[in-house]
Each structure stands twice: as structure tokens, then as C-alpha cells.
Amino acid sequence: FGGLYIGTSKDIYRVSGTGAEYPDATIDFQVEPLNINSPPVDAAVSTDGNILIYRAEDGPRVFLGNSSSPIRGSTDLLWRGYTRHGVSPINGLTGRFRMAIADGVLHMLTPEGASTTSSAIIYKYNLGQQQWYRHTYGQAWRSIYRNPDGTLTAGDVAGFVWKLEDAAATGDA
């Protein structure tokens, strides 16, 4: 996007400049607020090439360099606090979210209901198809990470690290 961006709970800021030091000992950097209407609310962020996705109060958003767009779809009512088809609302207030993008799919540890520090639920959003998927697992996850070779790993509450399914092989990671 042509700069360094800093996300805070108040706004996203663009840092630009050359870094050159002036004779008066100041440095050529400028901080510009972008006035994002839905700023980040926690450390849940992931990048892949030119794609940057973060979690705002209203759910995950794609950062576009000077604005952001919500990722909408079949999970909207869950983000707004409604129970749908027996699925508890997403715990956006006290839940711990983590995300990673692998093979064009956003994978997000998503606490539902009373879950806070871990989740047995991974929401997956296929960026190309613009489609959400909800997957439940037998263990509760605390972390998720895309490795440099593209494989996706997740850590569970027992301290084990698991290699998750291969997005390219299944088409529905």
C-alpha cells in the first residue's frame, strides 16, 4: 500500500517519509490518520501479499490502503449477537480471535457463546468465492499460523501443534 501502517483501537495510521535525519535532529517521518470508521479491536490480523484482514467490532474487514470493507455473508447475524440454527453468537466482546490466510482462504479461530481464550471452531472464508464455512474440531485451539512453506498449523490448549488440512488439496480448507 506504499507505507507503514499502524492499527490502534482508535484508527489506522499511515507512516510515510524517507527516514532521513535533518540537521535539527528530527527525522523525515509523517503520521497520517486514515479516519477508518471501523478500526481494529485486537491483535487478530493476517496478511497475504496485498491482502490485509483485521478484526473490527463488526467482524473481519479487508484493509484497502485508505479504507476498509467488511467481509459479509452467512455469519453476519452471529456477529450481531443472534443465535442461528443452533449456533451460539460469536463472542466479540471477551473472545480471543486469531487468524491466518493460506491458499486464498482466511482461517479464523472464532469463539462462540461463552468461549473466551480458546475455540473449537474455525471459521473459513474463501476469498475468491466470497463464501464462509464453519468447521468444528475435537480440540480447542489457541493459535493458528501460516508457515513460510504455506502449510497451516494450529496450537491446541494441551500444547500440541497440529498441521491442518491442505487448502489446495481440498478446495475447502
Side-chain angles (χ1 to χ4, degrees):
F1 301 116
L4 171 69
Y5 292 85
I6 301 170
T8 70
S9 60
K10 294 188 187 287
D11 200 355
I12 297 176
Y13 301 86
R14 181 174 182 243
V15 179
S16 60
T18 64
E21 187 173 342
Y22 295 125
D24 65 356
T26 60
I27 300 175
D28 178 28
F29 282 125
Q30 298 84 37
V31 178
E32 173 190 359
L34 299 178
N35 300 314
I36 300 293
N37 62 349
S38 293
V41 293
D42 59 21
V45 64
S46 187
T47 62
D48 186 22
N50 289 333
I51 298 171
L52 187 145
I53 298 175
Y54 68 91
R55 190 177 81 86
E57 188 175 309
D58 62 346
R61 298 181 74 88
V62 176
F63 181 65
L64 305 169
N66 58 2
S67 64
S68 69
S69 293
I71 299 176
R72 296 289 183 223
S74 58
T75 62
D76 282 354
L77 291 175
L78 296 172
W79 281 103
R80 289 192 251 158
Y82 294 98
T83 298
R84 301 300 294 160
H85 308 287
V87 176
S88 295
I90 293 170
N91 183 356
L93 295 177
T94 60
R96 181 177 186 266
F97 293 79
R98 293 294 182 258
M99 57 178 75
I101 301 171
D103 292 323
V105 177
L106 169 68
H107 301 76
M108 185 170 52
L109 302 184
T110 309
E112 295 174 342
S115 296
T116 56
T117 60
S118 62
S119 179
I121 310 297
I122 297 181
Y123 279 53
K124 299 174 185 181
Y125 183 76
N126 186 305
L127 295 162
Q129 297 174 357
Q130 298 183 343
Q131 178 67 43
W132 280 105
Y133 301 92
R134 179 181 176 273
H135 295 268
T136 59
Y137 291 85
Q139 58 273 5
W141 305 111
R142 285 253 171 98
S143 63
I144 192 163
Y145 180 73
R146 184 193 69 217
N147 295 284
D149 68 357
T151 60
L152 191 67
T153 55
D156 67 15
V157 294
F160 293 101
V161 176
W162 299 75
K163 180 180 175 184
L164 298 181
E165 67 242 64
D166 182 357
T170 64
D172 177 21

